Amino acid sequence: MISVTELRNGTKVEMDGGLWECLEYSHLKMGRGGAKVVTKFRNMESGSIVDRTFNSGEKLQDIYVEGKTMQYLYKDGQDFVFMDLETYDQVHLPGRLVGDAAKFMKENTEVEVQMYGDKPLKITLPNQVILKIVQTDPGVRGDTVSGGTKPATLETGAVVQVPLFVEQETNVKVDTRTGEYLSRA
């Protein structure tokens, strides 16, 4: 058990029968009353966000979330199939759990899956991935880095803005957190 005054961004707790991650917190000291802790939590299973206010003496059950490195194998209908790199077990994860990460995952990409017991909660991609451009408008002589951008479709189906000089079949480095082009690879 942890006191609500010990909450920090990223702290994971169990409350109201669900698993929650603290997104924001602030301590409020009232003039006459006791201190309050105002928080914003995200449900780790459904993704919903709630605001909660606690008295400073309240306690919450903290949980241990383990990060496992897994390799993405293929998509099976709405599910994504991953392989645990330690046990070589295959795990089917629903598309809602993978979410926007699917835009930057190609086969054999290693990801970190956060697990609570045997239950997967969240997928974290590497900060940068290298993907091939499969479709974009052709570059024109004289196009430079600062000349502007154009849309490019990657091998995973994601569309990113790239500089005008980048051509089709080029490998590019993309930031998975923002979806931005970083450089040619």
Side-chain angles (χ1 to χ4, degrees), residues 1 12 38 44 50 55 61 76 80 85 87 91 95 102 104 122 126 130 134 148 156 173 175-177:
M1 299 287 280
K12 294 162 182 66
V38 179
M44 296 180 71
V50 298
N55 292 323
Q61 179 64 47
D76 184 20
F80 291 82
L85 293 177
T87 63
V91 179
F104 302 110
K122 181 180 173 185
I130 297 174
V134 293
T156 59
K173 194 179 292 187
D175 188 332
T176 58
R177 298 164 293 186

Side-chain angles (χ1 to χ4, degrees), residues 2 4 20-21 23 29 47-49 52 58 68 72-73 76-77 84 91 117 125 131 138 144 156 169 182:
I2 62 168
V4 292
W20 300 83
E21 179 179 14
L23 300 176
K29 176 67 174 120
S48 63
I49 296 177
R52 293 282 303 263
E58 292 185 54
K68 283 188 144 185
Y72 170 60
L73 298 177
D76 184 20
D84 187 336
V91 179
L125 287 173
L131 297 169
T144 62
T156 59
E169 300 296 320
L182 295 174

Side-chain angles (χ1 to χ4, degrees), residues 115-126:
M115 308 279 283
Y116 177 63
D118 290 334
K119 186 176 188 177
L121 299 174
K122 181 180 173 185
I123 290 179
T124 307
L125 287 173

